[in-house]
Amino acid sequence: MNSPLNSPLIWAREVVKSFGQTPALRGADVQVTAGEILAVMGPSGSGKSTLLHCLGGIFPPDEGEISFDGQRLDQMDETRRTELRRTAFGFVFQFGQLVPELTAADNVALPLLLGRVRRKAAYEVAAQWLTRLGLEGKDGRRSGELSGGEAQRVAVARALAIGPRVLFADEPTGSLDSLAGEKVMDLLTGLAREQSVTVVLVTHDARVAGYADRQVVVRDGRVATLEPSGTHGGLR
């Protein structure tokens, strides 16, 4: 189902999520337009990663509504949400979460193979994306044989190889030094824009957030809008 013109690709309304007796989101609202790169900022424990996991269909909310392209994620069962995560959503996490026993090419090809792409075609796509991420000649290396920056670029290649509508990135540079982190962000945002992929980026780093078109801040489980520089500034 296609979104109406100018309507958000993703929206969340009054989202509540708790873990046991600990509330993580307390009525969070956010909208993301197709093709936008949105940075979600906030201090540790604010609920920003929980919000990303809810928007990406990993965590179902306890209360509230979440919609993707006119479809209610909060009303889907786990099977349907899993299908979306395999076909429409790409994920990049702080530590990459590569399968250590697999090579770089295996890791990138894996979601394609799970999506029933033929093996030869899956590895051809994997090779193309590894090349685009500057990883020529690294396709046969396992994660332990790669630098942190290289492993994270493999994770970006894996996320983009499926041709996602949305890329969810949770602290993608959090474990990297500044130079490696800058390279990852240059490639991630550049390729996302080239492919018209919407990006939801969680970070505590203002330099990383600077790659985004728009920034919001999560505090105490709620979302506030960060005014662009050049306006009155601050939160609203």
Side-chain angles (χ1 to χ4, degrees):
M1 179 177 180
N2 294 324
S3 298
L5 187 63
N6 297 326
S7 67
L9 179 64
I10 302 169
W11 57 252
R13 295 175 184 165
E14 293 295 318
V15 173
V16 174
K17 183 67 179 178
S18 297
F19 299 96
Q21 299 299 311
T22 305
L25 297 175
R26 306 169 185 253
D29 299 278
V30 71
Q31 298 184 357
V32 190
T33 303
E36 179 180 31
I37 298 179
L38 175 71
V40 181
M41 302 187 70
S44 178
S46 62
K48 60 186 184 297
S49 289
T50 300
L51 177 61
L52 179 144
H53 283 69
C54 288
L55 296 178
I58 296 174
F59 296 157
D62 298 330
E63 299 177 26
E65 301 177 5
I66 300 174
S67 174
F68 165 68
D69 199 17
Q71 305 171 75
R72 288 278 298 275
L73 265 70
D74 57 288
Q75 295 179 344
M76 293 180 186
D77 60 21
E78 177 59 27
T79 298
R80 178 66 181 124
R81 292 201 312 274
T82 297
E83 182 183 351
L84 273 179
R85 294 196 301 269
R86 286 183 178 175
T87 59
F89 298 162
F91 295 89
V92 178
F93 299 103
Q94 179 173 350
F95 297 103
Q97 296 189 355
L98 301 179
V99 181
E101 296 82 8
L102 300 182
T103 66
D106 294 335
N107 270 282
V108 178
L110 181 59
L112 297 167
L113 295 170
L114 291 173
R116 299 183 180 178
V117 174
R118 294 178 67 88
R119 183 179 179 84
K120 181 180 179 182
Y123 277 88
E124 287 175 348
V125 171
Q128 292 167 6
W129 277 103
L130 288 170
T131 296
R132 297 183 80 176
L133 270 296
L135 293 164
E136 302 94 331
K138 305 292 177 72
D139 54 314
R141 296 191 182 183
R142 292 177 171 79
S143 58
E145 300 171 319
L146 299 169
S147 69
E150 288 171 343
Q152 198 65 320
R153 281 185 275 149
V154 173
V156 173
R158 180 180 60 186
L160 290 173
I162 64 169
R165 299 279 305 281
V166 185
L167 176 63
F168 294 96
D170 191 359
E171 299 282 8
T173 66
S175 62
L176 306 177
D177 62 45
S178 59
L179 187 60
E182 183 177 325
K183 186 167 188 176
V184 166
M185 287 306 303
D186 284 342
L187 289 164
L188 187 156
T189 55
L191 289 168
R193 292 188 194 281
E194 180 184 307
Q195 301 293 314
S196 300
V197 176
T198 303
V199 178
V200 179
L201 167 69
V202 163
T203 183
H204 66 277
D205 188 334
R207 293 172 301 178
V208 173
Y211 284 85
D213 301 312
R214 184 167 60 94
Q215 302 172 23
V216 297
V217 175
V218 179
R219 288 209 174 105
D220 299 322
R222 294 180 181 271
V223 179
T225 300
L226 186 63
E227 296 285 6
S229 57
T231 66
H232 297 296
L235 302 175
R236 60 179 172 85

